[in-house]
Amino acid sequence: MTLFSYEIFDAVARQGSFNKAAQQLHLTPSAISHAIAVMEAELGFTLFNRGKNGVTMTSYGASLYPSIRAVLNSDEALQQSIARLNGLEKGKVKLGAFNSVCAGLLPQILKSFMVSYPQIEVEVYQGTYDDVKEWLRTGQVDLAFLSATCREEFNLTELFREPLLCIVPQDWPEPPNGIMTPELMNGQSFVVQCDATDAEMRQFLKKYSISTERRCHVIDDQSNIAMVEAGLGISIMPRMLLRSCTAAVKIYPIEPEEYRVVGLAVQRPTAMAPAVEQMFRHIVDFCRQMDPQLL
């Protein structure tokens, strides 16, 4: 198999469609289909399940995918090293981020990075904690913003800490001194998200043995806020998500203070491609120099 056949495999795996992969690689769908068929014949097993709604990797294809991504990443690193020797700062960086960082912090980081390194192409992939972790494991992204709740799986470089706040409906009675405590939250109805996006809240509830009635299970931050605004429960969210909140809700600090710790993980810590290393350093420097009130 050739490097280009690996690129075709990767495009089909990412796009879930021969047609979309063909558009990405500027080929015909029949050329993509033929290339995959040749790979399957050479390997002796099927790589993709074909269906009316697209294609999905078989278990064999999924087991090969991390190795194929490693080959493509190594080639990208080689090309970037050659460019650096020629005095050029160029290459591609694939960056994974969860929703709040993607909306509240990443635009400023990317804007400043592109000023300094206009020839480096950056691809951003937004998803839940679980999405980002899987992309990092398989090499679909080079760098990833992750919560410290993922520290057991990845070596994280800490970027910043942001306090957790309590968000309640407008008609919620004012807590003493304007501060929410675990005792005041115990037994209340909560709006929660799935495990992949709400790890900090779940840790908080477990730490303080807070019993809850969970009426609403949502999948994104804006739905979370909207449900609280409608009076369907209270919630706990990082400050970054509530910084520009215009919903009809009340937001209170929590005592004892609890934080979400956000870090940066890299797919290959000991062998970063030049462009990836530049982006890694830029993100770390940006976060260390930024005003904490931006969080």
Side-chain angles (χ1 to χ4, degrees):
M1 291 186 291
T2 66
L3 185 64
F4 189 51
S5 65
Y6 293 155
E7 292 175 353
I8 291 174
F9 181 103
D10 180 57
V12 174
R14 286 174 179 269
Q15 300 292 344
S17 162
F18 286 167
N19 289 336
K20 292 180 180 178
Q23 293 173 10
Q24 177 183 321
L25 297 175
H26 306 290
L27 298 171
T28 64
S30 60
I32 295 290
S33 179
H34 176 71
I36 295 298
V38 169
M39 290 179 66
E40 291 175 332
E42 184 175 342
L43 292 169
F45 49 78
T46 302
L47 295 170
F48 291 96
N49 299 308
R50 284 80 162 167
K52 293 182 179 179
N53 297 322
V55 297
T56 57
M57 283 187 287
T58 64
S59 59
Y60 294 112
S63 65
L64 283 183
Y65 192 36
S67 297
I68 288 175
R69 277 301 329 162
V71 171
L72 293 174
N73 288 339
S74 294
D75 179 68
E76 175 67 20
L78 174 61
Q79 298 304 319
Q80 292 180 25
S81 296
I82 293 171
R84 172 176 280 183
L85 292 172
N86 285 323
L88 302 173
E89 289 289 356
K90 60 189 301 185
K92 179 186 289 187
V93 180
K94 299 179 290 296
L95 180 62
F98 48 88
N99 295 344
S100 58
V101 164
C102 205
L105 185 62
L106 202 51
Q108 303 97 295
I109 291 176
L110 293 180
K111 184 177 180 179
S112 61
F113 183 79
M114 290 174 183
V115 169
S116 300
Y117 306 100
Q119 291 185 294
I120 295 179
E121 180 184 350
V122 182
E123 291 184 359
V124 176
Y125 295 83
Q126 179 181 1
T128 66
Y129 290 164
D130 284 350
D131 292 332
V132 177
K133 287 190 293 184
E134 182 63 19
W135 295 334
L136 191 62
R137 287 192 200 102
T138 60
Q140 293 183 62
V141 299
D142 305 302
L143 295 169
F145 287 91
L146 287 171
S147 160
T149 57
C150 308
R151 194 183 297 278
E152 292 182 1
E153 299 176 67
F154 302 101
N155 182 23
L156 295 183
T157 298
E158 183 175 326
L159 297 175
F160 59 85
R161 297 180 174 219
E162 56 176 328
L164 298 180
L165 303 175
C166 185
I167 172 175
V168 303
Q170 280 280 29
D171 59 0
W172 187 269
E174 188 76 12
N177 302 316
I179 295 173
M180 292 294 290
T181 64
E183 291 75 19
L184 292 173
M185 289 183 264
N186 194 30
Q188 301 297 328
S189 296
F190 268 75
V191 178
V192 299
Q193 297 183 45
C194 61
D195 291 347
T197 55
D198 224 4
E200 287 79 18
M201 177 196 283
R202 294 174 189 276
Q203 281 192 347
F204 180 91
L205 298 177
K206 182 178 180 180
K207 179 177 180 178
Y208 293 101
S209 301
I210 297 174
S211 62
T212 66
E213 178 184 343
R214 303 182 186 184
R215 293 179 178 174
C216 300
H217 297 259
V218 296
I219 61 172
D220 65 78
D221 303 318
Q222 293 308 310
S223 296
N224 197 335
I225 294 172
M227 293 296 181
V228 173
E229 183 179 25
L232 299 175
I234 67 175
S235 192
I236 297 169
M237 304 182 78
R239 185 168 66 185
M240 186 186 298
L241 288 169
L242 301 172
R243 186 180 64 206
S244 57
C245 179
T246 58
V249 295
K250 296 178 182 178
I251 301 170
Y252 296 109
I254 297 172
E255 287 189 0
E257 290 185 338
E258 295 290 338
Y259 294 87
R260 176 171 72 172
V261 179
V262 176
L264 188 64
V266 62
Q267 202 264 341
R268 296 185 300 164
T270 59
M272 283 189 279
V276 175
E277 186 176 358
Q278 293 286 7
M279 173 61 88
F280 184 93
R281 291 177 178 175
H282 184 83
I283 292 173
V284 172
D285 291 343
F286 183 96
C287 291
R288 287 176 178 172
Q289 295 172 16
M290 70 182 178
D291 184 347
Q293 294 305 312
L294 291 176
L295 301 176

